[in-house]
Amino acid sequence: MGNNEERIEALKSAMKLEEDGRAFYLKASEKAVQSFAKEMFKSLAEAENKHLKVVKTVYERLQKEGDWPKLVIPSGDQKRATVFPEEVGMSEEELSESVKVLDIAIGMEEESIKLYDGLTERAVDPFEKRFYIVLSNEERDHYLDLSDYRDYLQDPTGWFVTREGFMLDGI
């Protein structure tokens, strides 16, 4: 992507996605039943806010300087160990609603990944390419965390068995 108008429009799209993600996760945190889920959604909202700030910084510098800034953003959110409670402790209705929220969140992360992967492919400046790769990788981490939590909610026993590495084929 060589033309600055395209870059600016791409960054506007990225800011919108990050703003929407942050708002969604804050709302999900307020509605979550489990304290684990509240904290996870709050953490995701903070991560999206961090992305928003860095995208906005690049956006403002690109507009001001007219060239992609020689800026290296640190890669990776702080990765936390996934520790779920031994029991889900939710009603069927709460569980169903939680899975719906997670499905929406996973879809939002997929949308972000597609955007950042597409922008990575079109990027010509190495700093621009790295910028989008880092964002895409962080969104993938969010996707995996959300998928992990959804899998746990849908089958806690199976989730613990697969995470512990137990073999079920006659051993």
Side-chain angles (χ1 to χ4, degrees), residues 23-33 37-38 41-42 101:
F24 178 83
Y25 290 131
L26 286 174
K27 191 173 181 180
S29 175
E30 290 170 14
K31 291 184 174 186
V33 176
K38 285 185 180 301
F41 287 131
K42 207 179 291 182
V101 167

Side-chain angles (χ1 to χ4, degrees), residues 73-138:
I73 63 168
S75 60
D77 292 333
Q78 288 291 38
K79 196 71 180 139
R80 61 174 167 60
T82 305
V83 181
F84 297 131
E86 287 293 325
E87 290 189 26
V88 172
M90 289 184 184
S91 70
E92 283 298 317
E93 188 179 325
E94 290 168 335
L95 181 60
S96 174
E97 187 58 32
S98 295
V99 170
K100 283 180 196 169
V101 167
L102 290 164
D103 284 339
I104 292 167
I106 289 165
M108 291 172 63
E109 295 300 337
E110 286 173 332
E111 194 176 327
S112 295
I113 292 165
K114 284 179 195 165
L115 173 70
Y116 294 137
D117 284 352
L119 294 172
T120 298
E121 286 177 25
R122 294 182 3 230
V124 289
D125 184 287
F127 287 93
E128 181 181 6
K129 189 175 284 278
R130 185 178 193 283
F131 175 77
Y132 288 125
I133 287 171
V134 169
L135 289 174
S136 179
N137 286 340
E138 289 184 5

